[in-house]
Amino acid sequence: MQHTSVTDAVRRAQSGDHAAFTDLVGRYQDAVFGAAYHGVLDFDTARDIAQETFIRAWEHLGEVRDPERFPAWLLRICRNLAASW
């Protein structure tokens, strides 16, 4: 898949394009895992939190009004999940 802008990938994913969402996961999985690990300091728990972050992001993707802010929105989901853990 060609590397597209965040805005384009988010908009395509919002339209149901699973490949575009997979591209977003690939771009941000390391940052999400890092944020989760920083919050819980446990590898396995951080991996679970990262996975749950992307599940919730997919479920609530329609709520993203400014696609450029997707990375911050995604990390906020992750930090909230880690804090709740």
Side-chain angles (χ1 to χ4, degrees), residues 5 13 19 25-27 31 34-36 45-46 48 53 55 58-59 79 81-82:
S5 73
V25 171
R27 289 184 202 197
T45 302
D48 291 345
T53 297
I55 291 168
W58 175 254
E59 292 172 345
R79 284 191 299 270
L81 287 168

Side-chain angles (χ1 to χ4, degrees), residues 2-19:
Q2 181 182 2
H3 200 68
T4 59
S5 73
V6 172
T7 298
D8 183 52
V10 170
R11 287 186 178 144
R12 287 180 30 239
Q14 286 175 322
S15 296
D17 184 338
H18 292 223

Side-chain angles (χ1 to χ4, degrees), residues 1 5 17 24 29-30 32 34 40 42 44-45 50 52 55 57 70 76:
M1 169 184 260
S5 73
D17 184 338
L24 290 167
Q29 64 188 356
D30 290 343
V32 168
V40 299
D42 179 79
D44 291 328
T45 302
E52 183 62 25
I55 291 168
F70 175 81
R76 188 168 51 252

Side-chain angles (χ1 to χ4, degrees), residues 14 54-65 73 77:
Q14 286 175 322
F54 286 110
I55 291 168
R56 291 200 185 179
W58 175 254
E59 292 172 345
H60 297 279
L61 198 56
E63 298 171 15
V64 176
R65 288 180 179 79
W73 176 80
I77 293 171

